[in-house]
Amino acid sequence: MSSSAPPVATLEAIARYEPVIGLEVHVQLATATKIFCGCPTSFGAPPNTNVCPVCLGLPGALPVLSREAVELAIKGALALDCRINPQSRFARKNYFYPDLPKGYQISQYDEPLGEHGYVDIVVDGAARRIGVTRVHMEDDAGKSIHDGFRDSDRYSYVDLNRSGTPLIEIVSDPDMRTSDEAYAYLTELKQVLQFVEVSTCDMEKGHLRCDANVSVRIKGAEKFGTKVEVKNLNSFRFLKLALDYEIARQVAVIESGGKVEQETRLYNPDLGETAGMRSKEHAHDYRYFPEPDLVPLRIGENWLAEVRAGMPELPARKRTRFIGEYGLREYDAEVLTATRAVSEYYETVAKASGDPKTAANWVMGDLMGLLKAEGKEIAESPVSPENLGELVKLIAKGELSGKLAKEVFPKMFSTGERAGVIVEREGLRQISDTGALEKIIADVIAGNPKQVEQYRGGKTTVINFLVGQAMRATRGQANVALVTDLFKQKLG
Amino acid sequence: MKITEQEVRYVAGLANLKLTDAEVARFQADLDGILEHIGKLNEIDTSNVEPMAQVLYDAEETATLRADVPAPPLGDQAALANAPQPGAGYFKVPKVIER
């Protein structure tokens, strides 16, 4: 890898250019087995244990396509609003690399699984639609380790556990114009794919990998500039940093009278730079041809309808529905649809409580606060959504004051006990019985003649003091609104 | 000759093969013969025939698919048994940095 001079492009120069960005995203499908054999896809197994003749590329071994992988790929494509092709075809992409034991990757070329989809993004309040050119299936290569062994200066180490892991590659149209848009696209893509449970999209485990095609052109120009492929964008932060660096580099090259070369560059997160890869002369002649060991993949209407029926509601639609159906604010709807688990938890609370807005506040506030403090996911919440729903319902029915509910909830969280059980045992039920309250109010009036006089003399704010006295007498259990009303009646 | 010497060298390069000049000449003749023989197929009019890569078109669309059920893998001992240079459970290969 050669180190290049850092780009020197002024902000003014960069501002004259328009970047054109397209992303290629590889996503590992959440299957139990590999795409063409029954080897487990489990992460972290000792090297070269989850392998068989198929994924080792031994002569004569034949691939058999996994139905689950196909169905997850269809779901992923549908979630991006792609058209599913009734017939797609696998093809061999030929190249030599030690972690590719077959000598070719089984991918899809001229007939991909899905095409013509899109992802909607919002950046700085502006909505944009990013086209998805295609979604195709392929197998992953193994893993090469170049560093960390005593003889790493002379040898690379190859682990083929990952060889044959099912992937979909999602290719976007060159529709993005800023690194922020690319960031938003990848964020949205990840959320949608997690929602439909096509993939865990865990970037640290390499379940979501991203390459970018970047070019720049003078603003207003129609023709695209020469594109450069940037690899190794394996975190959201790196994606943005690498794109910004590469855009500045290309502008600097052009501004200094040079020409951007079509090449593949690798992002180096330590240096914050991209550098050209020494590519062999014929590296890009993949000689694609139809995979003779696999039948064309046909997806008929019935099968497609079956898969479609198993799709959950997608986050964008859910957000809109939460706003319309439950009267949530847009921000709240966004937080409550961030993951499928959160959205399902919230909706159960909303339905059980009959008060969706209060339910939203409890899920986003008290629940998420305690979960965060304990480093737990919502799926691990000690308080079930039904139980939180019960708590919110007690508040809505006036049986528990909002103030006491704040004390009840942490107890539910630490014990997992039901709200009603704690409220009964600790005698926290709100007193909303006028008869019982009248006696207390009469006592407060009798005991505070001075304040009563002030109130009657026109200093109405004194009522807060009197209400406070009544609340104290009931250990906070009295219904505040009712107490206030009663005082006004008695003193009015 | 249908195939050029240059094409033979190019294809050999793609296949990671180093050929002597004599071999290049031999393969040029061999490949030329093969192409000419296969070329006979072009004499048939196939303009109305769908390309066929398989003979199983009439089966159920899911008939050739596998259930997502793990099978016991070979394990590393068997996997590495024929490796020219195993090490620390890995296949060791001469240092590579990029493809």
Side-chain angles (χ1 to χ4, degrees), chain A residues 47-87:
Chain A
N48 296 305
T49 49
N50 289 340
V51 292
C52 75
V54 173
C55 55
L56 285 171
L58 299 188
L62 290 171
V64 185
L65 181 60
S66 153
R67 177 172 178 157
E68 177 71 5
V70 175
E71 293 190 352
L72 288 176
I74 295 173
K75 281 184 181 177
L78 285 177
L80 305 174
D81 247 305
C82 282
R83 206 184 63 203
I84 305 296
N85 288 326
Q87 175 172 303

Side-chain angles (χ1 to χ4, degrees), chain A residues 1 31-40 47-53 56 64-68 89 95-98 145-146 149 151-160 277-278 282 285 287 292-296 298-300 303, chain B residues 9-17 50-80 82 85-99:
Chain A
M1 200 183 312
T31 53
T33 65
K34 295 185 179 179
I35 184 168
F36 297 125
C37 63
C39 289
N48 296 305
T49 49
N50 289 340
V51 292
C52 75
L56 285 171
V64 185
L65 181 60
S66 153
R67 177 172 178 157
E68 177 71 5
R89 192 190 296 273
Y95 66 91
F96 281 121
Y97 203 69
I145 301 164
H146 302 297
F149 290 96
D151 49 2
S152 281
D153 57 324
R154 283 174 296 136
Y155 293 102
S156 291
Y157 284 63
V158 178
D159 175 10
L160 296 177
M277 293 168 70
R278 277 174 311 180
H282 311 303
D285 188 349
R287 293 151 292 149
D293 291 341
L294 289 164
V295 294
R298 289 173 301 145
I299 299 160
W303 190 17
Chain B
R9 292 192 190 278
Y10 178 72
V11 172
L14 290 173
N16 268 4
L17 296 174
E50 280 281 301
M52 187 172 99
Q54 281 294 339
V55 294
L56 295 172
Y57 281 97
D58 289 336
E60 279 285 303
E61 57 193 358
T62 55
T64 57
L65 303 181
R66 226 187 67 240
D68 189 29
V69 179
L74 272 187
D76 51 351
Q77 283 204 341
L80 294 164
N82 293 317
Q85 230 177 337
Y90 294 85
F91 294 92
K92 279 166 72 169
V93 296
K95 187 77 176 170
V96 279
I97 291 292
E98 297 145 350
R99 54 191 66 167

Side-chain angles (χ1 to χ4, degrees), chain A residues 116-430:
Chain A
H116 313 299
Y118 63 84
V119 171
D120 285 330
I121 59 168
V122 179
V123 174
D124 295 333
R128 289 213 55 211
R129 176 160 289 185
I130 308 300
V132 170
T133 318
R134 54 188 279 149
V135 173
H136 70 248
M137 301 183 72
E138 58 188 26
D139 63 353
D140 204 350
K143 209 169 151 181
S144 300
I145 301 164
H146 302 297
D147 304 294
F149 290 96
R150 196 168 30 82
D151 49 2
S152 281
D153 57 324
R154 283 174 296 136
Y155 293 102
S156 291
Y157 284 63
V158 178
D159 175 10
L160 296 177
N161 281 345
R162 203 181 63 183
S163 167
T165 300
L167 304 177
I168 45 174
E169 179 174 341
I170 300 160
V171 182
S172 85
D173 292 338
D175 283 351
M176 288 157 273
R177 296 291 174 265
T178 64
S179 62
D180 285 333
E181 287 184 1
Y183 189 99
Y185 168 83
L186 193 62
T187 305
E188 190 68 29
L189 195 68
K190 180 180 169 195
Q191 192 197 13
V192 168
L193 295 174
Q194 285 178 327
F195 232 90
V196 292
E197 291 171 350
V198 158
S199 172
T200 61
C201 292
D202 190 336
M203 283 185 113
E204 282 175 19
K205 290 183 183 167
H207 292 186
L208 179 75
R209 283 170 265 160
C210 179
D211 302 328
N213 288 305
V214 193
S215 64
V216 298
R217 59 181 170 188
I218 288 279
K219 275 186 182 154
E222 276 198 19
K223 235 184 107 199
F224 287 152
T226 305
K227 75 173 180 190
V228 166
E229 186 177 6
V230 185
K231 287 183 174 281
N232 203 26
L233 308 175
N234 294 330
S235 81
F236 280 86
R237 207 166 63 87
F238 291 166
L239 170 68
K240 199 173 142 38
L241 291 173
L243 287 175
D244 286 337
Y245 177 90
E246 182 57 22
I247 290 162
R249 188 191 69 85
Q250 291 186 17
V251 170
V253 167
I254 297 168
E255 286 285 299
S256 64
K259 264 175 79 179
V260 174
E261 267 184 71
Q262 179 158 0
E263 61 176 341
T264 300
R265 297 177 72 87
L266 207 60
Y267 180 65
N268 181 331
D270 297 329
L271 298 175
E273 293 175 3
T274 64
M277 293 168 70
R278 277 174 311 180
S279 48
K280 280 180 206 147
E281 225 173 308
H282 311 303
H284 293 298
D285 188 349
Y286 291 128
R287 293 151 292 149
Y288 282 98
F289 64 88
E291 166 58 82
D293 291 341
L294 289 164
V295 294
L297 177 57
R298 289 173 301 145
I299 299 160
E301 272 172 41
N302 290 340
W303 190 17
L304 186 57
E306 208 178 290
V307 176
R308 205 186 281 274
M311 295 271 290
E313 185 181 31
L314 297 176
R317 174 163 294 188
K318 216 181 256 287
R319 278 198 288 275
T320 312
R321 185 169 62 79
F322 279 8
I323 291 167
E325 202 174 315
Y326 299 136
L328 298 188
R329 289 177 303 160
E330 201 165 319
Y331 173 79
D332 295 353
E334 211 159 283
V335 173
L336 292 171
T337 54
T339 68
R340 185 159 161 190
V342 168
S343 71
E344 286 175 353
Y345 188 101
Y346 164 68
E347 200 152 20
T348 308
V349 178
K351 289 204 169 121
S353 67
D355 184 352
K357 278 187 166 176
T358 309
N361 292 336
W362 277 88
V363 172
M364 292 192 300
D366 298 74
L367 176 69
M368 286 190 177
L370 283 182
L371 287 173
K372 200 177 167 197
E374 300 209 351
K376 284 192 165 118
E377 293 291 327
I378 202 156
E380 307 166 294
S381 168
V383 179
S384 71
E386 292 79 9
N387 194 2
L388 181 52
E390 183 185 334
L391 181 76
V392 175
K393 192 173 186 176
L394 288 174
I395 303 166
K397 285 203 308 195
E399 290 179 12
L400 179 66
S401 72
K403 194 161 171 248
L404 287 178
K406 296 272 179 198
E407 291 172 26
V408 172
F409 183 71
K411 291 176 184 159
M412 293 162 63
F413 196 89
S414 57
T415 63
E417 276 184 304
R418 278 188 38 225
V421 171
I422 296 173
V423 168
E424 285 308 325
R425 186 180 60 227
E426 306 202 357
L428 303 174
R429 192 170 285 279
Q430 181 158 271

Side-chain angles (χ1 to χ4, degrees), chain B residues 6-22:
Chain B
Q6 218 177 357
E7 282 170 324
V8 174
R9 292 192 190 278
Y10 178 72
V11 172
L14 290 173
N16 268 4
L17 296 174
K18 281 204 181 88
L19 302 183
T20 63
D21 288 350

